Amino acid sequence: MDLLGVAGDQTITVAGRGLRRAELMDRAAGVAAEIAGAGAVAVHATASLETVVAVVGGLLAGVPVVPLPPDSGPDERAHILGDSGAALLLAARGAYEPGEGDPPLVPVDDLPAGEGAGAGAPDDATALILYTSGTTGAPKGVLVSRAAIAAGLDALAEAWEWTAGDVLVHGLPLFHVHGLVLGVLGALRAGSSLVHTGRPRPEAYAEAAAAGGTLFFGVPTVWSRVCAEPDAARALRGARLLVSGSAPLPVPVFGRLEELTGHRPVERYGMTETLITVSARAGGDRRPGHVGLPLAGVATRLAAEDGAPVPADGETPGELHVRAPMLFGGYLNRPEATAASFTADGWFRTGDIATVGPDGWHRIVGRASTDLIKSGGYRIGAGEVENALLAHPAVREAAVVGTPHPDLGEQVTAYVVADGVDERRLIGFVAERLSAHKRPRTVHLVDSLPRNAMGKVVKTRLGA
């Protein structure tokens, strides 16, 4: 299987710098020669051509790639590098400052170009190790195979009528499924050109549309900001398709996008562990507040807390279970966590609560727990932020939840029992240790946290 698709005349442009496909593959072949035989390699995943070259080089060499968020704090970075066992760290020259205990640094710019397609790997080999949000502690490494990526991208290409004639435009981070798997590998596999805008600014999207962009990716925060600049939004009228994902698109934003751009956006649903499994179709209906129908090869069902089936009546909620060829291969070195994520009959438990209508349309209505926060397109684990807060010597207790935010969808809000420290210092303390987007935007200093008889914090009573 050729995961990267067939040779074509596409151009990959990131933050104003571009490479033809043949040039990209030659540079990636040089990376593949350098890392051949490594157990895994990390990539400092900035929004740059070097990130694309490094990731493609890993795929050519058949070496699992571990995308490292460029804004990760020292604790998060040390965990990802140590847990993954990355033998090398690939980065753009001068973009990464090595820390104590880091693997050897390889500047991608300094590697000579190579030739050939590389050794490749079996279809079931791990292509990427993507780290989750750490809802109950440290992030877990999700093993995503080459076959899963191919199946997911092919299903999306069918659903979105994505072809080599498209020009994909987005400005999303290159260390998660949306920006990297869909936004880079998807373009390569489909043969379409890619314009990565560096940052997802409304004016950059408008400029890309004027230059011939046809397919635009964004998270709800991006689309909300686009709608806030009507001239930029109207520039997207010439596009073929607008796609929103990574968090629910607010219904008012859906309506405003349609009003300004003339497009009803396509919404879709997925997870790091499943890639994308449900989506509206380019040639079909698009309903505000709904994520669409299962993709080709995907089966879904709803289950009650006791495991009993939930009817597809569009009203009764249940936990969404998935079976699909794009499912992950397990959590790295965590067999118990892997086993717990599947039912006895082999369905993946998403942890998301959904309703399914008689016509098969899915609507995601919430999280089975309150510990996953979706903010600006990021999935943030409350447990990871709580652990960071508890590392402060003045903090005795901490609970983190998502609260409504007009731009981000949800913001990280913390309730903290502490002595002699203020909100600003606690926010800064977390920002120094975790990715910037994981820091609390609001910290409430309280005398105590509400707990049940078992001593567990009752998060639904926070702020009451």
Side-chain angles (χ1 to χ4, degrees):
M1 175 190 64
D2 186 354
L3 174 58
L4 298 171
V6 298
D9 194 33
Q10 66 194 129
T11 300
I12 304 299
T13 302
V14 183
R17 299 166 56 217
L19 286 174
R20 309 296 295 183
R21 181 187 175 103
E23 297 172 310
L24 168 64
M25 300 305 287
D26 285 347
R27 288 190 58 184
V31 172
E34 179 73 15
I35 67 175
V41 296
V43 173
H44 185 234
T46 57
S48 66
L49 278 176
E50 286 73 23
T51 294
V52 177
V53 168
V55 171
V56 173
L59 297 177
L60 292 180
V63 174
V65 172
V66 184
L68 184 66
D71 65 346
S72 57
D75 294 352
E76 182 180 9
R77 180 171 64 247
H79 170 72
I80 292 174
L81 293 174
D83 187 68
S84 67
L88 300 168
L89 200 162
L90 308 178
R93 186 194 309 115
Y96 183 83
E97 184 66 32
E100 184 178 353
D102 284 357
L105 181 66
V106 178
V108 176
D109 322 57
D110 295 343
L111 297 176
E115 295 181 357
D123 291 355
D124 61 356
T126 298
L128 299 171
I129 304 176
L130 302 172
Y131 276 78
T132 66
S133 301
T135 56
T136 56
K140 298 188 289 289
V142 176
L143 304 175
V144 184
S145 72
R146 301 167 73 91
I149 293 173
L153 294 178
D154 289 348
L156 287 178
E158 178 184 347
W160 298 344
E161 300 174 10
W162 189 356
T163 72
D166 277 308
V167 176
L168 172 62
V169 179
H170 73 89
L172 304 173
L174 299 185
F175 52 85
H176 57 22
V177 168
H178 199 167
L180 178 61
V181 179
L182 277 60
V184 174
L185 302 185
L188 289 170
R189 187 165 178 83
S192 64
S193 288
L194 166 66
V195 176
H196 189 289
T197 59
R199 296 180 64 84
R201 296 175 293 106
E203 60 270 27
Y205 275 35
E207 291 171 5
T214 64
L215 176 60
F216 287 75
F217 289 174
V219 299
T221 300
V222 171
W223 296 125
S224 175
R225 292 173 181 173
V226 166
C227 289
E229 298 190 22
D231 288 343
R234 294 186 188 99
L236 300 181
R237 284 185 169 270
R240 183 180 68 81
L241 199 67
L242 309 184
V243 179
S244 182
S246 297
L249 183 68
V251 171
V253 178
F254 185 108
R256 184 64 171 156
L257 265 180
E258 182 178 13
E259 176 187 346
L260 291 170
T261 71
H263 292 282
R264 293 173 67 83
V266 161
E267 292 190 69
R268 83 302 183 283
Y269 166 80
M271 301 174 63
T272 305
E273 292 91 338
T274 68
L275 304 184
I276 308 305
T277 52
V278 180
S279 179
R281 303 303 198 261
D285 193 11
R286 303 166 206 175
R287 305 177 188 175
H290 292 72
V291 293
L293 302 162
L295 296 175
V298 175
T300 64
R301 72 181 187 188
L302 298 180
E305 289 186 12
D306 61 1
V310 170
D313 58 9
E315 298 292 336
T316 308
E319 183 185 15
L320 183 63
H321 294 176
V322 174
R323 295 178 73 171
M326 56 282 285
L327 287 183
F328 74 132
Y331 297 111
L332 179 64
N333 299 324
R334 300 197 184 187
E336 293 183 357
T338 301
S341 67
F342 286 87
T343 64
D345 55 350
W347 291 73
F348 177 72
R349 305 167 58 99
T350 67
D352 283 315
I353 303 301
T355 64
V356 178
D359 58 359
W361 270 75
H362 289 52
R363 181 168 63 94
I364 307 299
V365 298
R367 185 68 184 166
S369 70
T370 59
D371 289 331
L372 188 67
I373 302 165
K374 295 182 177 180
S375 180
Y378 292 101
R379 299 165 71 90
I380 302 166
E384 188 180 10
V385 183
E386 288 164 356
N387 288 339
L389 284 164
L390 290 168
H392 194 288
V395 173
R396 289 184 277 132
E397 297 179 83
V400 170
V401 294
T403 57
H405 188 278
D407 185 30
L408 300 172
E410 287 185 303
Q411 70 172 15
V412 179
T413 298
Y415 292 81
V416 175
V417 180
D419 300 308
V421 66
D422 61 21
E423 174 185 10
R424 179 180 57 81
R425 289 183 181 178
L426 288 175
I427 292 173
F429 183 81
V430 175
E432 291 173 359
R433 284 155 178 77
L434 302 178
S435 300
H437 63 266
K438 296 179 180 179
R439 73 188 187 283
R441 288 181 171 262
T442 300
V443 173
H444 298 284
L445 295 170
V446 296
D447 294 330
S448 63
L449 299 179
R451 298 180 181 272
N452 62 17
M454 300 297 293
K456 183 177 180 180
V457 174
V458 182
K459 292 191 172 183
T460 54
R461 288 167 47 197
L462 290 169

